[in-house]
Amino acid sequence: MKKTTGALVGLCATGPLLLALPILGIGAGTASASCSTDGAQGVDASAVAKQVKAILDGGDKGSVSVPGLDAPADQVPNAKTIQATGVAMNIPARGQVVALATALQESGLRNLTYGDRDSLGLFQQRPSMGWGTASQILDPVHASTKFYEGLKKVSGWQSLSVTQAAQAVQKSGFPEAYAKWEPLATALQKAIEPLLQKAGGASPSPSPSGSADTSPSPDSAGGCSADGDGTDFGTIPAGALPDEYKIPASAPPKVQTAIRWALGQLGTPYQWGGTCTDSHGKNPMGRCDCSSLMQGAYKAAGVTLTRTTYTQVKDGKAVSVDALKPGDLLFTEGTAAVPEHVGMAIGQGLIAHAPHTGDVVRITTVASWKSRILAARRVV
């Protein structure tokens, strides 16, 4: 978080997100005034929405510009991550605007590897102030999560101004600086919101048509078809693997590797925002949440997955819940567009997943999930 006058002048006068407003005579003595609420101005929300959509839909990013952003191809995806994290945490639109305005002021919506003193990342959070390690803060999902957690602790934040709410979390030396970003933050939030709602793709139903593989698995013993839903295993203790289970020999080698790696995390504590890079270690943030367990398992197999449930639901291709195979990702909770939980089918009607805070990585059955599955994706 910016604390010095010089740092603030850099953001206000020469930063990457300067709105098209003439600012004259800026110097150390006038930095506070130049970053006051008087700097706010109207934003063409329809233009922002059109250009944001072009970027997030994978268009020609080089030819797209967003008023107020000088590198939108980099900045808009960061805005989407901040907003999607808020959606996953059930933060209302107002809170998402507060977060976006804060990141606009603190970093220009850039995941900076530098800052005032030890400040880093989108929100310029400081490891020395308890926001996490440097690597954690540079994870946009972690940084956004920590900001929202701080916001939720502010009593009555919903009724505060953007400046008041942001300042309550950030404790900046120049709290009045946040207000001028509210118009652009609001325009970004409104532009990104409908894109998140349809993030699950054109076929959000559990049994999509089109390119989906809707044929039954030819190897029901090695798959998770209706006649293998896991009910024959009975109650599965937390962190345990049924003795009768074997990794399906018919699964592709990469899937076998991913399953084997996921099973190696059984019994380790769940950690929201955890990287799953050291689930057996002492650092809680090295443990797994549901999506980092999937990412880590497939990384071990040489397959790249995105980081969160709301992006993993777009990885690979859609498949029918009635034609699952080992290695398929299954999504529950939330909505098909923005699912909040994910697990991996591991064969014989079983699923490996990291459930929630207070629980451990464990095995459950397809039968117990089937009525709640919102989407399924095949990544190998």
Side-chain angles (χ1 to χ4, degrees), residues 35-318:
C35 289
S36 69
T37 57
D38 293 338
Q41 63 171 291
V43 171
D44 186 343
S46 61
V48 170
K50 180 179 179 180
Q51 294 160 339
V52 165
K53 185 177 186 299
I55 291 172
L56 296 181
D57 281 351
D60 183 3
K61 298 179 180 181
S63 64
V64 175
S65 64
V66 177
L69 307 181
D70 76 332
D74 296 325
Q75 295 160 308
V76 169
N78 285 333
K80 181 183 177 183
T81 297
I82 292 170
Q83 188 164 332
T85 302
V87 171
M89 294 178 67
N90 296 316
I91 302 295
R94 177 66 173 175
Q96 297 163 27
V97 169
V98 172
L100 291 169
T102 302
L104 281 164
Q105 168 60 26
E106 296 289 354
S107 69
L109 274 177
R110 286 183 166 90
N111 197 23
L112 299 178
T113 57
Y114 58 88
D116 178 43
R117 287 174 280 190
D118 58 339
S119 299
L120 295 167
L122 292 170
F123 296 91
Q124 289 291 278
Q125 295 158 333
R126 299 178 59 191
S128 62
M129 299 301 289
W131 291 95
T133 66
S135 61
Q136 290 166 355
I137 291 172
L138 289 172
D139 175 357
V141 174
H142 172 88
S144 302
T145 298
K146 297 299 288 185
F147 178 85
Y148 287 124
E149 287 177 347
L151 184 64
K152 289 166 71 174
K153 292 177 182 177
V154 177
S155 178
W157 68 264
Q158 297 91 336
S159 61
L160 299 178
S161 68
V162 166
T163 288
Q164 291 169 329
Q167 172 63 3
V169 180
Q170 298 291 101
K171 298 178 175 59
S172 168
F174 298 92
E176 69 277 9
Y178 299 113
K180 71 178 181 296
W181 297 113
E182 183 172 358
L184 180 55
T186 300
L188 286 170
Q189 193 280 331
K190 290 181 178 178
I192 294 170
E193 184 175 46
L195 302 180
L196 287 179
Q197 291 173 349
K198 65 176 183 179
S203 301
S205 63
S207 301
S209 58
S211 62
D213 179 2
T214 58
S215 60
S217 169
D219 184 3
S220 60
C224 302
S225 59
D227 59 346
D229 62 4
T231 53
D232 54 330
F233 288 108
T235 301
I236 303 173
L241 183 67
D243 292 338
E244 305 91 328
Y245 172 81
K246 295 184 183 301
I247 295 175
S250 60
K254 289 183 178 181
V255 169
Q256 292 186 43
T257 298
I259 292 174
R260 187 174 296 109
W261 193 93
L263 296 181
Q265 320 313 313
L266 287 175
T268 60
Y270 173 96
Q271 175 62 51
W272 167 264
T275 60
C276 206
T277 53
D278 187 17
S279 67
H280 296 274
K282 295 182 179 180
N283 181 1
M285 296 311 297
R287 298 169 186 165
C288 308
D289 63 15
C290 65
S291 55
S292 65
L293 176 63
M294 303 299 104
Q295 185 184 52
Y298 270 107
K299 181 179 180 181
V303 178
T304 300
L305 291 187
T306 52
R307 172 62 182 87
T308 66
T309 56
Y310 43 79
T311 55
Q312 288 177 0
V313 78
K314 297 185 289 184
D315 290 343
K317 68 175 183 178

